[in-house]
Every structure is written in C-alpha cells, then in structure tokens.
Amino acid sequence: PAYTARQVSRASYKSDTPASQTPERREVRREIVRALATADGRWPQLKLTPRWRRALIDEPGADLLDAVICALQAGQAVLQPRFGLPDHLDPLEGWIATVPEG
C-alpha cells in the first residue's frame, strides 16, 4: 500500500507510536483518501460514506487505509491484461499488484 500512497504524497501517513501520531500524518491520510476518491484512471474510484472517510483518516496506524489501498490495487489489476504482470516473468517469483506511476 505504501507504493500507492506515495503516488499521492511522499510524506509519512501512519505510525503505531503515539508520540509520532501527528496532525501532519493525519493530513497526509486525508490527502490520500481524497485522491483515492477521485477517479483519475490510476485506480478504481473509492466511494465512501462520511463515516468510513473519517475512519480511514482518523486511524493513526492506518491499517484500514492500507487494507482499502490493497483492495483498490487488486481491483486495478483485474482491469489490466494479464493482471498488469509483465509478459516475461519468473513464475516462481511473487508479484504485487500496484498502480501505474502517475
């Protein structure tokens, strides 16, 4: 999920350490959620109720946000030929669905 989040902001958006759970990180989570809810073609559009939007923004550890990003990455991969995997790949290697760099 960090790869997709960095498409929006290079700043840190989460922390499990209470002292590092800052308003700045919360604002980055807000920016990420706003970008995910904008249909710009890099990922499927995220549609949220106000309650879910608050939950994704307000959780300092960002576990919910990371889960949503992973689901969007999987959704985006399903829309791509061969799930976005390169033509020549080692079938024994693991691959992670991501979004194209924007």
Side-chain angles (χ1 to χ4, degrees):
Y3 177 86
T4 297
R6 282 193 304 271
Q7 300 303 305
V8 178
S9 175
R10 305 281 306 163
S12 178
Y13 66 99
K14 63 183 186 173
S15 178
D16 290 327
T17 306
S20 298
Q21 296 171 354
T22 63
E24 292 81 14
R25 283 192 168 107
R26 184 179 186 279
E27 185 56 34
V28 174
R29 290 192 301 276
R30 180 187 310 279
E31 290 174 25
I32 293 167
V33 169
R34 186 179 308 126
L36 295 175
T38 303
D40 69 358
R42 292 185 288 171
W43 46 72
Q45 182 178 14
L46 177 62
K47 295 185 180 185
L48 294 168
T49 64
R51 181 178 179 187
W52 272 103
R53 182 179 298 273
R54 280 191 308 274
L56 293 175
I57 293 169
D58 290 345
E59 183 193 16
D63 292 330
L64 287 172
L65 181 55
D66 283 349
V68 166
I69 291 171
C70 287
L72 287 173
Q73 288 174 186
Q76 189 273 342
V78 167
L79 299 173
Q80 304 304 310
R82 296 178 35 82
F83 302 101
L85 297 173
D87 289 332
H88 304 288
L89 60 85
D90 182 342
L92 299 178
E93 291 294 325
W95 291 84
I96 297 173
T98 64
V99 298
E101 288 193 40

